[in-house]
Amino acid sequence: MSQIEFTLENWEKCKCVTCPVQAENQCFLEKHEKTHEIMPKIKKTDMMESPEMFPGMYCVNGKTTCRNLDTKQICQCHSCPLWVEYDLLHDKPMRYYCRDGAAK
Ligand code: SF4
Ligand code: SF4
């Protein structure tokens, strides 16, 4: 696949932050809160620090460090613009990157 860049523009397209697989997960919620707090600085400087801090874009960043994901829920990647743009349907793993690792 073409390498997806970890950029603010792409981050804003990612559906992971609203995905039911992690929406109720305390570890995710804490990371999301921190991301929210530093977002003004990120937007001002237009830089993305430490991708592992961001609870999303797992197709690029690989598995989440959070445990107890609710993987009975449906992965939302199919509704992500990057899914279509980068033809992720034909990569492996196919969706659930938070659980199974980055797309290759
Ligand atoms: S990779 Fe899929 S299952 Fe995991 S958080 Fe993102 S949208 Fe949800
Ligand atoms: S394909 Fe899935 S993991 Fe990748 S940016 Fe989109 S929603 Fe996030």
Side-chain angles (χ1 to χ4, degrees):
M1 77 170 188
S2 312
Q3 186 62 44
I4 305 174
E5 277 188 83
F6 185 67
T7 62
L8 183 56
E9 188 185 355
N10 283 341
W11 166 259
E12 289 177 338
K13 293 176 185 170
C14 176
K15 303 295 179 188
C16 294
V17 292
T18 54
C19 174
V21 169
Q22 61 175 3
E24 305 290 326
N25 184 284
Q26 191 58 36
C27 168
F28 159 73
L29 291 169
E30 285 169 13
K31 283 190 178 201
H32 190 227
E33 177 66 26
K34 282 189 190 140
T35 304
H36 195 67
E37 281 169 16
I38 64 170
M39 195 51 78
K41 182 185 166 201
I42 290 168
K43 287 195 165 164
K44 210 166 154 186
T45 57
D46 195 28
M47 58 189 266
M48 295 289 269
E49 299 172 16
S50 310
E52 66 280 0
M53 283 182 60
F54 289 78
M57 280 193 79
Y58 302 119
C59 60
V60 179
N61 297 331
K63 296 178 191 178
T64 177
T65 54
C66 293
R67 298 287 170 256
N68 303 319
L69 299 175
D70 187 0
T71 51
K72 290 196 183 92
Q73 303 294 330
I74 305 295
C75 171
Q76 298 300 305
C77 291
H78 64 277
S79 64
C80 173
L82 299 175
W83 169 267
V84 177
E85 193 178 329
Y86 288 89
D87 195 26
L88 295 180
L89 176 65
H90 297 106
D91 286 336
K92 284 196 169 59
M94 208 260 284
R95 306 194 297 161
Y96 291 94
Y97 307 106
C98 52
R99 179 190 64 191
D100 298 336
K104 295 189 176 104

